[in-house]
Amino acid sequence: MMNILMILMFFAMFFATFTTIDYFISLYKKYRIYQKAYDISVNKLEEEIERVNKIVEENKL
């Protein structure tokens, strides 16, 4: 009886560890996707700022 409980506990710990690791992997993937989207939006914003600054400089002359 004790051996069966030990085996069940081992599988329970293995399953808990696996699901926890899987959860953190999925969180990291989401973080990477959001980080890429943020980088793209920041780059577009910087390009737009440069474009507006050029227009302002041209209008000053």
Side-chain angles (χ1 to χ4, degrees), residues 50-61:
E50 288 176 9
R51 188 181 71 80
V52 169
N53 283 339
K54 280 183 184 177
I55 293 172
V56 168
E57 286 297 319
E58 289 172 1
N59 288 338
K60 280 183 180 177
L61 301 175

Side-chain angles (χ1 to χ4, degrees), residues 37-55:
Y38 174 78
D39 291 342
I40 290 170
S41 64
V42 166
N43 287 339
K44 286 185 178 178
L45 188 62
E46 288 174 347
E47 291 171 2
E48 188 66 19
I49 289 171
E50 288 176 9
R51 188 181 71 80
V52 169
N53 283 339
K54 280 183 184 177
I55 293 172

Side-chain angles (χ1 to χ4, degrees), residues 1-19:
M1 185 66 185
M2 199 63 167
N3 288 341
I4 295 171
L5 282 176
M6 295 285 275
I7 291 170
L8 287 176
M9 284 175 60
F10 171 76
F11 281 119
M13 287 191 298
F14 176 77
F15 181 74
T17 304
F18 176 75
T19 53

